[in-house]
Amino acid sequence: MIAAIPPGATVEAPHPIILGENPVDTVRFVSWLRDRFSDGVIVRWQGSVVSTFAPPDLYHLPPPEGTGGWYQEWRDTFALGLFYFRRGPGFIQIKDVRDPAASASFVLDEGPLTRTFTRCLVPCSLAELQGDEREAAEALLEENLLLRAGDLVVTLPNRMKRWPVPAMAL
């Protein structure tokens, strides 16, 4: 049995990651980083980003260690509560303030949208999604709620499991 990592603990990613280089590695790492952040675990990691990948999509997640350029921009932008979701009975509420000038709130309360959003918490291929789930994935991608790397997609916002204090700050 794998022991749970307690909130506030620090973990180090096992190896450097190059976001956008390999779609499988990218979506798996983003999913792992998102889930650790949701659990309140502090992650230290090394990495870089290929030029075709957009780091601002990930500024709600803990930044990699590094100096200059986009590393500094990511560190300066990162904050708790930039992009998260909460689940209720039959709906998912999403808040996105990664770009304060274009902040958005969403409530997903339709079966295909909530089902696809939840399914993509684990990275999956767009080819696996059929019919209304594929349409829902396209709509979620358009709103930048999913990250696409090659043919793979993963849900971007982290789950707010514990409301931070002071709650009114979010």
Side-chain angles (χ1 to χ4, degrees):
M1 181 173 188
I2 298 174
I5 303 169
T10 300
V11 296
E12 189 147 341
H15 55 80
I17 184 79
I18 303 172
L19 294 171
E21 180 180 65
N22 177 309
V24 172
D25 291 344
T26 297
V27 295
R28 282 183 181 165
F29 182 76
V30 168
S31 175
W32 179 82
L33 184 61
R34 180 203 63 219
D35 292 347
R36 297 301 72 73
F37 187 55
S38 292
D39 292 338
V41 174
I42 300 161
V43 176
R44 295 176 48 120
W45 64 283
Q46 300 287 327
S48 60
V49 177
V50 298
S51 61
T52 58
F53 199 76
D57 289 346
L58 304 176
Y59 283 180
H60 65 290
L61 298 173
E65 296 180 354
T67 58
W70 62 267
Y71 290 104
Q72 190 61 46
E73 183 178 329
W74 193 334
R75 268 193 300 287
D76 291 346
T77 305
F78 172 71
L80 181 66
L82 288 180
F83 192 29
Y84 63 89
F85 75 94
R86 297 177 57 178
R87 295 179 77 166
F91 71 94
I92 297 172
Q93 176 190 28
I94 303 165
K95 180 75 172 176
D96 184 0
V97 291
R98 291 172 292 176
D99 177 1
S103 64
S105 293
F106 303 90
V107 175
L108 307 180
D109 58 0
E110 296 176 19
L113 285 172
T114 57
R115 192 171 53 251
T116 304
F117 182 90
T118 304
R119 179 175 181 179
C120 293
L121 286 167
V122 175
C124 68
S125 168
L126 282 172
E128 294 173 20
L129 303 175
Q130 301 297 316
D132 59 356
E133 283 189 336
R134 178 62 184 249
E135 289 176 25
E138 295 296 338
L140 295 169
L141 281 164
E142 190 172 313
E143 295 296 340
N144 207 16
L145 301 176
L146 299 181
L147 176 73
R148 183 177 187 164
D151 184 50
L152 301 173
V153 291
V154 66
T155 299
L156 273 172
N158 61 287
R159 184 171 184 187
M160 184 74 71
K161 294 181 179 178
R162 292 176 210 75
W163 201 252
V165 176
M168 296 309 292
L170 300 178

